[in-house]
Amino acid sequence: MKPKGFDYLRAASVEEAVDGLKEGGEEARIVAGGQSLGAMMNMRLVEPELLVDIAGIADLDYLRAENGALEVGAALTQAELLEWSGLAEQAPLLHLAMPHVGHFQTRNRGTVCGSIAHADPSSELPLSLAVLGGEVKLRSASGQRTLAASEFQLGMLSTARRPDEMVTAVRFPNPRPGQSFAFREVARRHGDFAIVAAAAVVSDGHVRLGIGGVADRPTVRDWEALEGSALDDALNEFAWDLGGHDDIHATARYRRELVRRIGRRAIEEARHA
Amino acid sequence: MPRLSREARHPVTIILNGKRASGYAEPRLLLVDFLRREIGATGSHVGCEHGVCGACTVRVDGKAVRSCLMYAVQADGRRVDTVEGLGDDSSDLTALQSAFRREHALQCGYCTPGVLMSISDFLERNPKPTETEIREMLSGHICRCTGYAGMVRAVLDVVSNGGAAESPKSE
């Protein structure tokens, strides 16, 4: 289908973008790559009165490692992050997760911040941000604030962003010495939405596992020194706690089984990485 | 930049396959519909209209993108390359197109223009891809005729015969 009519503002600066949001109120939406929003607008699931395009704001088109984190500006595309030569060293989990984000053709326009702002429960980038304990930087005409990933994503396609705010950057904490990472997902085809995705961070007996695609948002759990059947029991408990449901892609039971299996595989892979 | 009203048709000029092309677009007009209806360039096809099937893939400033997830007003002033720009004239095929014909990489041809534009961007960035990388790139397209095997063979053929796919003639 075709989108409903909307006014279009190509913002030249962050100030112009947040002024546009202030003026447009709840009916305004930010667009950067438009790979999720554009599809939802074509299907008329979202019908904004005003689109504020931030893709051309040079101040948001950046990637920098500073203050213990990799900070990604809101205009940086997923393809630019994936092709960055420092990715494997500076952000090993993203290096593993990024190839699963959409397809070559959608990563060319889709942005890193856009995926996080869209907050799909099965998306890889919100899961990576959650498991790394990252942050989201928000800006409005009246000020700015920074939220932890766990404070930002509230549910399915739902975040703590106020209507007059835009995401200007996200921050992925740097790997600490001794940490190792793994990423696993099961999808019908490579690049499709994950039925279940698992991201593991392991260091010196400590295990952190994040699961996407089951609950209404990526969910993270920490354990100390788990082995053998204790690990199986912990994963089983986690799988049930996530409260998955049946849909056209998979049953809740299948999703629980995937949590147990790829959760374990991700943890073992990270231990041997 | 002023706010573009939904009611009005705004002038849009693109460099289409190396030549200037102009038309008018309401903000909601998709790039693929602008190409087909305003410009008359019907080589790019409209499939699912929500970014999944890949039939409408074109190159904007060199990058393969879904032209159903981009508005014509967003392409204003930019370079757009479509399947019409691949050969030197309508009877002239690039190495990639010839390989598609030879390897039966198409049947009905509906998905082909988009697939060709994806591959031409992909091979410029990755001139020696593995079969796995080719299959990953093709996962962004839906073809209901071929089963993709012919497309994979065609790309491998072009890659192993030394030539990356020829660039659009605007370059």
Side-chain angles (χ1 to χ4, degrees):
Chain A
M1 274 168 65
K2 316 294 182 189
K4 186 168 170 269
F6 53 84
D7 289 358
Y8 174 82
L9 175 71
R10 186 187 296 143
S13 64
V14 175
E15 290 71 26
E16 224 177 273
V18 291
D19 284 347
L21 283 182
K22 191 178 171 188
E23 196 187 311
E26 305 219 345
E27 303 303 322
R29 292 294 290 264
I30 292 282
V31 66
Q35 300 301 288
S36 302
L37 181 62
M40 291 178 75
M41 286 173 60
N42 287 2
M43 293 189 278
R44 305 223 175 177
L45 297 170
V46 184
E47 299 181 338
E49 300 290 327
L50 170 66
L51 265 198
V52 179
D53 190 340
I54 61 164
I57 300 178
D59 285 350
L60 295 179
D61 189 13
Y62 70 88
L63 181 64
R64 36 176 193 255
E66 57 177 26
N67 302 327
L70 180 68
E71 185 167 315
V72 182
L76 194 100
T77 64
Q78 294 153 7
E80 287 167 326
L81 181 64
L82 184 57
E83 287 167 12
W84 178 48
S85 59
L87 191 65
E89 196 175 318
Q90 302 254 12
L93 181 63
L94 291 180
H95 177 68
L96 299 170
M98 284 304 298
H100 297 281
V101 178
H103 302 279
F104 168 72
Q105 301 83 353
T106 60
R107 290 193 297 263
N108 277 339
R109 266 182 76 71
T111 61
V112 176
C113 289
S115 174
I116 287 161
H118 181 60
D120 189 296
S122 63
S123 289
E124 296 84 2
L125 279 162
L127 171 60
S128 301
L129 192 75
V131 81
L132 293 173
E135 293 174 327
V136 179
K137 290 171 85 168
L138 293 156
R139 175 93 175 263
S140 70
S142 53
Q144 53 190 14
R145 58 183 180 139
T146 301
L147 294 180
S150 57
E151 300 167 322
F152 179 72
Q153 188 161 353
L154 300 179
M156 181 163 172
L157 309 187
S158 162
T159 70
R161 186 187 68 82
R162 291 191 289 257
D164 66 337
E165 284 180 315
M166 64 177 281
V167 174
T168 55
V170 291
R171 292 169 57 80
F172 298 96
N174 291 342
R176 288 191 294 277
Q179 275 186 331
S180 55
F181 303 87
F183 191 91
R184 281 270 176 174
E185 78 170 43
V186 171
R188 283 277 173 203
R189 296 183 308 164
H190 181 87
D192 282 3
F193 286 108
I195 296 172
V196 174
V201 185
V202 168
S203 63
D204 196 25
H206 185 90
V207 173
R208 165 174 281 202
L209 183 70
I211 295 287
V214 185
D216 66 349
R217 72 197 86 170
T219 310
V220 175
R221 190 159 288 188
D222 291 276
W223 297 288
E224 298 295 336
L226 278 178
E227 298 291 343
S229 64
L231 179 56
D232 286 336
D233 291 346
L235 282 167
N236 184 46
E237 196 181 317
F238 190 22
W240 281 97
D241 288 350
L242 288 166
H245 53 273
D246 297 349
D247 64 18
I248 56 166
H249 304 291
T251 61
R253 185 179 173 188
Y254 181 62
R255 286 194 161 90
R256 284 192 297 274
E257 186 63 8
L258 285 179
V259 171
R260 291 186 284 258
R261 284 175 184 255
I262 68 172
R264 181 170 193 120
R265 217 169 284 169
I267 290 166
E268 283 171 356
E269 212 171 288
R271 278 178 173 158
H272 296 109
Chain B
M1 187 192 181
R3 179 164 163 164
L4 301 182
S5 159
R6 83 196 66 187
E7 309 295 345
R9 282 157 56 80
H10 308 278
V12 172
T13 298
I14 58 174
I15 307 300
L16 179 62
N17 300 317
K19 291 189 191 123
R20 182 176 289 265
S22 298
Y24 289 87
E26 299 163 359
R28 78 184 192 112
L29 187 68
L30 304 176
L31 175 58
V32 67
D33 289 326
F34 176 78
L35 292 172
R36 292 176 59 86
R37 296 194 208 149
E38 276 290 301
I39 309 291
T42 54
S44 306
H45 292 163
V46 183
C48 71
E49 294 193 314
H50 61 277
V52 172
C53 79
C56 70
T57 303
V58 302
R59 295 177 70 180
V60 175
D61 290 339
K63 290 182 176 154
V65 303
R66 310 292 204 215
S67 60
C68 72
L69 295 185
M70 189 166 174
Y71 308 106
V73 292
Q74 292 179 303
D76 190 28
R78 302 173 77 169
R79 201 180 89 214
V80 178
D81 293 300
T82 63
V83 70
E84 288 100 331
L86 286 182
D88 283 334
D89 62 54
S90 58
S91 60
D92 194 24
L93 299 183
T94 62
L96 177 65
Q97 287 171 306
S98 300
F100 259 57
R101 187 163 69 181
R102 203 165 48 243
E103 298 295 342
H104 303 285
L106 69 153
Q107 184 178 316
C108 84
Y110 201 86
C111 70
T112 315
V115 176
L116 290 171
M117 299 321 288
S118 270
I119 298 172
S120 60
D121 173 19
F122 175 73
L123 287 183
E124 274 175 35
R125 284 197 253 174
N126 185 0
K128 293 284 174 199
T130 62
E131 182 173 334
T132 305
E133 289 171 330
I134 294 168
R135 287 183 179 277
E136 270 180 31
M137 177 269 298
L138 286 174
S139 75
H141 290 275
I142 291 178
C143 171
R144 298 285 84 145
C145 301
T146 65
Y148 310 95
M151 293 184 203
V152 174
R153 280 199 308 273
V155 180
L156 284 171
D157 188 31
V158 168
V159 169
S160 62
N161 288 332
E166 285 163 37
S167 305
K169 62 186 169 184
S170 59
E171 291 183 342

